[in-house]
Amino acid sequence: MSTVTEHPVRAEPTYTTLRELIVSGEYAPGRRITELELSERLAVSRTPVREALRVLAGDGLVRPEKRGVAVVALDEKAVHEAYWVRAGLEALTAELTALRQRQGELSPAALHRLRTQAERTDELTERGDLAEAVEQNRAFHRMIAELADNAIALGMLDRIWDQIVVSTRESLHGQRYGERTEQVGEEHRQLIEAIAEGEPDEAARLARAHVLTTLATNNADARQGVEGTR
Amino acid sequence: MSTVTEHPVRAEPTYTTLRELIVSGEYAPGRRITELELSERLAVSRTPVREALRVLAGDGLVRPEKRGVAVVALDEKAVHEAYWVRAGLEALTAELTALRQRQGELSPAALHRLRTQAERTDELTERGDLAEAVEQNRAFHRMIAELADNAIALGMLDRIWDQIVVSTRESLHGQRYGERTEQVGEEHRQLIEAIAEGEPDEAARLARAHVLTTLATNNADARQGVEGTR
DNA sequence: TCGGCATACTTTGTATACAGTGCATCCACG
DNA sequence: CGTGGATGCACTGTATACAAAGTATGCCGA
């Protein structure tokens, strides 16, 4: 998906293409990137490539290394940090959205879209289409953030998501996710309910717990994975 | 201060200088910037200037406009959004710091530095040196974020602070701040206490309330200011 | 055979030239 | 006097050339 609203810089074709290469996983984490290589691949000069790389560095998708840049590869600690930040920000957006609902600023249609999106995510997960399910799950969470009507928080969440997606493509998001299917669906429903009832504190609490539970589950996976190979 | 850790891109002299021009207020919010003007002023070519501008756009300190870029000027709604995000992130970092304290990962020296910094801020405020007080206040809050040991959250808070500083240089941060002196000091002390006692929930609650109270106070100021000119 | 040094190459940083585009200004015409 | 269009200008976007720096490689000597 890699949805980014705001800054027109991010509409630049070179930036967009390169970003897609990274987010899609074609350029794997840790892969080193040279400007020349990219300028040849994208058939442009080094100038726009350089700019794209700088912006992507700001996005946290590539990081400068001794020689040029490399696709970011968050280690376990960094992934933890990302999840905690995501938890904090999603608690905030859920709270703000619930607050808007309480103040009658949310359309019934919006709530309906939320429920529909949650159902779609559920179905895909049950059907076993994990790749698409993860995508739609992200879309669900992003919907809530959009409804919070806070562009800064939304932008930060987009960045966090991208970083997590890139760094956890293969390691996580698989194994235990299936087992947690019903729990995820239930947590989503509870969250929607709290928003629909206009209960900011409860919504914040649920959103936060939901993210942290996901982190804990993935962790168990990772650990299990590591130990399993011993 | 404009403290930025991470990305080496941000160590580039052109970027650093331009950033300082903006954060210091020499380039006022809304001011349009042309690449040529900057390249002449900084005595470099347009190439590094362009890159710096792109990165700054990512930082949210300049925004692309019809023709080139302009220094960001957050309107009242955007400032609100920034404060809410700051509240969410500081609640998180305060919580994480308190958690570390509970787990014995925080050195007594760190807590002492925190108390010292709070006192310094207090003194400056009482002495009426508001500019320096604001600076040291920021340093205090940043200290907590550093102790949280979460680089992503710290980076985001730095961005938010910069944006707020640029956009509220004259409008806020003055008038009522004086009246709130004792309250600010007291809130800081309570926050430190919660951290020292290793009470994550309480620390998060206090940090959040502190930021939102500041927002509310500034708002009152702004409204008063507007009404006062009628 | 191994170590050290010199050289060549890869790659980034910077400058400059050129192309394209939108905006403003000015003139002509209604 | 007002309005529309054309022309010139200012600025951004892109390419290319050049400089600097660090790394790898190969050769020579011990």
Side-chain angles (χ1 to χ4, degrees):
Chain A
M1 180 173 282
S2 74
T3 27
V4 172
T5 37
E6 28 173 352
H7 300 295
V9 187
R10 319 196 171 203
E12 247 181 289
T14 303
Y15 168 80
T16 307
T17 308
L18 180 49
R19 177 200 187 78
E20 204 49 40
L21 283 176
I22 294 174
V23 175
S24 72
E26 186 164 343
Y27 276 19
R31 167 163 181 170
R32 298 214 43 218
I33 298 179
T34 73
E35 298 172 0
L36 191 63
E37 165 203 346
L38 267 182
S39 70
E40 285 170 355
R41 168 156 192 172
L42 304 183
V44 293
S45 77
R46 278 178 53 219
T47 313
V49 169
R50 284 178 65 83
E51 290 175 6
L53 286 177
R54 293 303 164 79
V55 177
L56 284 168
D59 290 344
L61 287 183
V62 303
R63 30 178 344 108
E65 276 193 357
K66 45 182 178 182
R67 198 75 172 174
V69 304
V71 176
V72 71
L74 303 185
D75 57 20
E76 196 184 342
K77 179 178 186 312
V79 170
H80 270 247
E81 293 183 5
Y83 266 93
W84 275 93
V85 172
R86 194 193 134 198
L89 289 175
E90 291 210 18
L92 176 67
T93 52
E95 177 187 356
L96 290 175
T97 300
L99 215 52
R100 292 192 69 206
Q101 164 71 2
R102 167 176 281 181
Q103 293 168 351
E105 295 174 7
L106 241 53
S107 73
L111 281 175
H112 183 255
R113 281 198 302 275
L114 219 48
R115 290 202 170 90
T116 305
Q117 181 64 33
E119 286 169 18
R120 186 175 337 178
T121 306
D122 253 26
E123 285 172 20
L124 285 163
T125 309
E126 285 169 17
R127 201 182 303 160
D129 188 349
L130 284 189
E132 188 62 19
V134 167
E135 194 83 351
Q136 295 303 317
N137 176 57
R138 173 171 178 175
F140 168 73
H141 285 271
R142 193 175 193 279
M143 239 180 220
I144 296 178
E146 281 178 0
L147 293 176
D149 193 33
N150 186 314
I152 298 179
L154 181 61
M156 289 185 168
L157 273 171
D158 276 336
R159 284 183 42 165
I160 289 276
W161 270 106
D162 280 343
Q163 291 187 45
I164 291 179
V165 164
V166 167
S167 290
T168 65
R169 179 174 307 285
E170 32 214 72
S171 58
L172 313 177
H173 275 303
Q175 320 151 52
R176 279 252 175 116
Y177 186 79
E179 296 180 20
R180 219 169 87 75
T181 304
E182 311 83 18
Q183 196 184 342
V184 167
E186 180 56 25
E187 287 173 7
H188 284 180
R189 276 187 291 277
Q190 288 180 356
L191 178 53
I192 294 176
E193 209 48 39
I195 291 173
E197 295 292 328
E199 295 170 352
D201 293 346
E202 181 68 0
R205 198 186 60 76
L206 288 170
R208 187 192 135 102
H210 176 60
V211 175
L212 292 182
T213 302
T214 303
L215 170 61
T217 307
N218 286 346
N219 255 358
D221 276 354
R223 245 175 271 128
Q224 189 187 23
V226 171
E227 284 162 7
T229 60
R230 279 181 193 152
Chain B
M1 180 173 281
S2 73
T3 26
V4 172
T5 37
E6 26 173 355
H7 299 294
V9 187
R10 320 197 169 200
E12 248 180 289
T14 304
Y15 168 80
T16 308
T17 308
L18 179 48
R19 176 199 188 77
E20 204 50 39
L21 284 176
I22 294 174
V23 175
S24 72
E26 185 164 341
Y27 276 18
R31 167 163 181 171
R32 296 214 44 218
I33 298 179
T34 72
E35 298 172 0
L36 190 63
E37 166 203 345
L38 269 181
S39 70
E40 285 169 355
R41 170 156 192 172
L42 305 183
V44 292
S45 77
R46 278 179 52 219
T47 313
V49 169
R50 285 177 64 83
E51 290 176 6
L53 287 177
R54 293 303 164 81
V55 178
L56 284 168
D59 291 344
L61 287 183
V62 303
R63 31 180 340 108
E65 274 193 358
K66 44 183 178 181
R67 202 70 173 175
V69 304
V71 177
V72 71
L74 302 184
D75 56 21
E76 196 183 341
K77 181 179 187 307
V79 171
H80 270 247
E81 294 183 5
Y83 266 92
W84 275 94
V85 172
R86 194 192 135 199
L89 288 175
E90 291 210 16
L92 176 67
T93 52
E95 177 186 355
L96 289 175
T97 300
L99 215 51
R100 291 191 69 205
Q101 164 70 3
R102 166 175 284 180
Q103 293 169 351
E105 295 174 7
L106 240 53
S107 73
L111 280 174
H112 183 256
R113 281 199 301 275
L114 219 49
R115 290 203 170 89
T116 305
Q117 180 64 32
E119 285 169 19
R120 185 175 339 177
T121 306
D122 253 25
E123 285 172 19
L124 285 163
T125 310
E126 284 168 18
R127 200 182 306 160
D129 188 350
L130 284 190
E132 189 61 21
V134 167
E135 194 83 351
Q136 295 302 319
N137 177 56
R138 174 172 177 175
F140 168 74
H141 285 271
R142 194 175 192 279
M143 239 179 220
I144 298 178
E146 281 178 358
L147 294 176
D149 192 33
N150 186 313
I152 298 178
L154 180 61
M156 287 184 169
L157 274 171
D158 276 336
R159 285 182 43 164
I160 289 277
W161 270 105
D162 279 343
Q163 290 186 44
I164 290 178
V165 164
V166 167
S167 289
T168 64
R169 179 173 307 285
E170 32 216 72
S171 59
L172 312 177
H173 275 301
Q175 320 152 50
R176 280 252 175 119
Y177 186 79
E179 296 180 21
R180 218 168 88 74
T181 303
E182 312 84 17
Q183 196 185 342
V184 167
E186 180 56 25
E187 287 174 6
H188 284 180
R189 276 186 292 277
Q190 288 180 357
L191 178 53
I192 293 176
E193 209 46 41
I195 291 173
E197 297 290 329
E199 295 170 351
D201 293 346
E202 182 68 358
R205 197 185 62 74
L206 288 170
R208 187 193 135 102
H210 176 60
V211 175
L212 292 182
T213 303
T214 304
L215 170 61
T217 307
N218 285 348
N219 255 358
D221 277 352
R223 245 175 270 128
Q224 190 186 23
V226 170
E227 284 161 7
T229 60
R230 281 180 192 152

